[in-house]
Amino acid sequence: MGAGTEPAEAQPDAAEGRIYLDYNATTPLAPEVAQAVWDAMRQAWGNPSSSHPAGRKAKELIGSARESLARMVGGRPEDIIFTSGGTEANNMVIQTARRHFCENQARPGDSWGTPHIVTSSVEHDSVRLPLEQLVKESLVEATFVAVSPQSGQAEVDDVLAAIRPTTCLVSIMLANNETGVIMPVMELSQRVRALNQQRAAAGLPRILVHTDAAQMIGKGRVDVQELGVDYLTIVGHKFYGPRIGALYVRGPGTTTPLHPMLFGGGQERNFRPGTENTPMIAGLGQAAELVSKNWEAYEAHMRDVRDYLEARLESCLHTRSGSQPSGFLQAAFGKQRIHLNSHFTGSKRLCNTSNFSILGPGLQGRRVLSRCQMLLASVGAACHSEKGDRPSSILLSCGIPCDVAQNALRLSLGRDTTRADVDLVVQDLVQAVARLDQDQTP
């Protein structure tokens, strides 16, 4: 890229004729974000710890980005700690809760036992796997609360029932990446806060509350004051930002404990040392500004297109006209052949997410996608892509039958996805299934 050249807008569907509907896996950089990154690379290349102009410019950009992220989630700038991404942020919370419990237990007169952490059965691997490792090392005990097959949620009463005298952390994601189901985090925080008052009187450790908001930011309202959480994970590449992240902490090191996992030069108030990645932080701040200004419009648009997608899948009663793609197939699926895996009675879900199965033998999600000529999507979480045709453990946890879960597809829409894109995608799916059905015919 030559000097003075502006970055081109990123296109997730750059391959000609392809339509990208995998925005829950990752999003492209918004043009404004790419510009902010490029400007920082050219103009703020100095070390933010240096006192010369280039260093001061970098430090200024980082401070501005911190303010933007705080504004986006309703916190204070001093509550934002920049991280390499969501995995680091989630690990930091888990390790902090364990260490804080153990340090307090070391005080004379306190002997609580092994720290215990409560989470759900549908969490991201960056929560589940650190806990499983700590359990294996006998450093913590953990309870993975099953979600309700009726609601797809980790029910508040079930989470509270899992709490023990030694519980030090409850970590429940704000929205699930596969089903889109939004968890009752606000109610859970309120109930835990009341429980903590009783525990304090009994000399028991305080329960900290964490939510991974990776999927929710940019698709719905996220306000840490309303949610009442102690920690909230922010992941840039889920809302058109760069692949770094941040952790919101309610008063880090004072109101709420925070222990570093790295030790070095003292950056980020010693909570996360290492010379700051100024260009990516600047981009993250710009992505946060876009969300703060536009999230309601983003949400309304994506919900409209998502609902249109599901209606088209269920009906597929199209006629050929000038508004339809040439040769569009008629009466293809129908409600009898589509199972909407992300529909749960009484539960809210992400505005952009549709998880469904096309019922029938030989229609495993991967096989259907392999026969699509336009659709770029996934069968579930991108981090599980190596698991072959095994059904999603998330869907099985939600009570979806194995044969249905095996056929699942997750379509997640973006800010620029249109109804015209949906028409093409449904046509593509219809034709892919027709090919596979033909393969099944003796």
Side-chain angles (χ1 to χ4, degrees), residues 53-68:
R56 290 199 301 271
K57 177 65 175 176
K59 186 174 183 178
E60 178 186 320
L61 274 182
I62 291 168
S64 176
R66 200 184 308 277
E67 291 174 0
S68 295

Side-chain angles (χ1 to χ4, degrees), residues 270-440:
N270 281 314
F271 293 125
R272 207 284 183 180
T275 303
E276 298 91 338
N277 190 345
T278 306
M280 297 301 109
I281 290 173
L284 188 64
Q286 181 59 56
E289 282 295 313
L290 292 174
V291 168
S292 294
K293 294 173 182 175
N294 303 305
W295 72 265
E296 289 174 298
Y298 295 153
E299 182 183 32
H301 170 75
M302 287 187 281
R303 177 175 286 110
D304 173 75
V305 179
R306 191 274 315 276
D307 290 349
Y308 179 73
L309 164 66
E310 293 184 345
R312 293 297 291 265
L313 285 170
E314 284 196 310
S315 65
C316 283
L317 298 175
H318 307 299
T319 57
R320 296 179 186 174
S321 70
S323 63
Q324 298 294 347
S326 176
F328 200 92
L329 299 183
Q330 301 180 35
F333 293 145
K335 288 189 177 182
Q336 292 72 31
R337 202 165 191 192
I338 294 291
H339 186 277
L340 296 172
N341 302 321
S342 47
H343 281 208
F344 294 92
T345 303
S347 294
K348 295 180 180 179
R349 59 180 171 136
L350 292 173
C351 59
N352 78 319
T353 304
S354 179
N355 193 306
F356 61 92
S357 297
I358 304 171
L359 304 181
L363 297 181
Q364 292 86 358
R366 290 184 189 282
R367 296 196 70 204
V368 173
L369 285 178
S370 72
R371 294 302 186 98
C372 287
Q373 297 178 346
M374 286 179 286
L375 174 61
L376 298 173
S378 67
V379 297
C383 48
H384 296 162
S385 60
E386 76 288 353
K387 294 188 177 178
D389 281 334
R390 279 188 288 165
S392 161
S393 61
I394 302 296
L395 294 183
L396 295 179
S397 296
C398 294
I400 304 297
C402 183
D403 59 331
V404 176
Q406 218 170 16
N407 288 17
L409 294 168
R410 181 191 70 179
L411 271 53
S412 47
L413 285 57
R415 297 171 185 175
D416 298 321
T417 306
T418 65
R419 288 187 172 208
D421 292 331
V422 165
D423 288 337
L424 292 170
V425 162
V426 174
Q427 178 191 29
D428 198 26
L429 286 168
V430 167
Q431 293 175 341
V433 170
R435 295 184 194 103
L436 289 170
D437 281 346
Q438 194 171 28
D439 291 346
Q440 298 291 318

Side-chain angles (χ1 to χ4, degrees), residues 34-356:
Q35 188 65 56
V37 170
W38 177 235
D39 288 346
M41 291 175 72
R42 290 188 297 119
Q43 301 168 10
W45 48 266
N47 191 316
S49 298
S50 299
S51 58
H52 50 62
R56 290 199 301 271
K57 177 65 175 176
K59 186 174 183 178
E60 178 186 320
L61 274 182
I62 291 168
S64 176
R66 200 184 308 277
E67 291 174 0
S68 295
L69 264 75
R71 187 160 44 247
M72 178 178 71
V73 299
R76 305 172 304 165
E78 58 265 36
D79 295 334
I80 301 296
I81 308 296
F82 292 112
T83 67
S84 62
T87 294
E88 181 185 345
N90 289 343
N91 276 259
M92 187 182 294
V93 171
I94 290 167
Q95 294 290 355
T96 287
R98 183 189 70 82
R99 288 176 58 186
H100 183 67
F101 178 97
C102 294
E103 287 180 2
N104 282 347
Q105 186 172 242
R107 296 181 307 186
D110 287 336
S111 182
W112 295 325
T114 304
H116 173 245
I117 294 174
V118 179
T119 188
S120 82
S121 62
V122 297
E123 296 297 313
H124 190 269
D125 278 356
S126 59
V127 168
R128 179 179 65 83
L129 293 179
L131 287 177
E132 289 181 352
Q133 182 62 32
L134 290 171
V135 168
K136 183 178 179 181
E137 296 173 8
S138 300
L139 294 174
V140 304
E141 295 174 341
T143 300
F144 295 85
V145 176
V147 296
S148 163
Q150 285 73 43
S151 68
Q153 295 180 335
E155 298 286 0
V156 173
D157 286 343
D158 293 340
V159 174
L160 293 175
I163 287 175
R164 307 174 186 173
T166 54
T167 301
C168 59
L169 175 69
V170 171
S171 178
I172 303 292
M173 60 178 19
L174 193 49
N176 185 263
N177 49 317
E178 291 194 35
T179 64
V181 169
I182 297 171
M183 302 294 176
V185 171
M186 181 173 67
E187 181 187 351
L188 177 62
S189 296
Q190 292 170 346
R191 298 277 295 275
V192 169
R193 192 179 305 120
L195 181 60
N196 274 335
Q197 293 178 350
Q198 301 171 22
R199 288 169 67 92
L204 294 174
R206 169 187 170 194
I207 300 169
L208 300 162
V209 179
H210 165 245
T211 191
D212 181 346
Q215 291 296 338
M216 189 72 171
I217 291 174
K219 304 167 191 170
R221 178 177 172 81
V222 177
D223 187 304
V224 293
Q225 307 307 324
E226 186 177 274
L227 291 170
V229 294
D230 299 298
Y231 308 97
L232 182 139
T233 295
I234 300 166
V235 182
H237 74 99
K238 304 296 188 181
F239 58 100
Y240 292 75
R243 286 182 183 157
I244 64 165
L247 179 65
Y248 160 83
V249 186
R250 187 183 300 275
T254 54
T255 304
T256 304
L258 185 64
H259 292 280
M261 293 198 302
L262 304 173
F263 298 87
Q267 293 87 351
E268 292 297 286
R269 290 157 286 162
N270 281 314
F271 293 125
R272 207 284 183 180
T275 303
E276 298 91 338
N277 190 345
T278 306
M280 297 301 109
I281 290 173
L284 188 64
Q286 181 59 56
E289 282 295 313
L290 292 174
V291 168
S292 294
K293 294 173 182 175
N294 303 305
W295 72 265
E296 289 174 298
Y298 295 153
E299 182 183 32
H301 170 75
M302 287 187 281
R303 177 175 286 110
D304 173 75
V305 179
R306 191 274 315 276
D307 290 349
Y308 179 73
L309 164 66
E310 293 184 345
R312 293 297 291 265
L313 285 170
E314 284 196 310
S315 65
C316 283
L317 298 175
H318 307 299
T319 57
R320 296 179 186 174
S321 70
S323 63
Q324 298 294 347
S326 176
F328 200 92
L329 299 183
Q330 301 180 35
F333 293 145
K335 288 189 177 182
Q336 292 72 31
R337 202 165 191 192
I338 294 291
H339 186 277
L340 296 172
N341 302 321
S342 47
H343 281 208
F344 294 92
T345 303
S347 294
K348 295 180 180 179
R349 59 180 171 136
L350 292 173
C351 59
N352 78 319
T353 304
S354 179
N355 193 306
F356 61 92

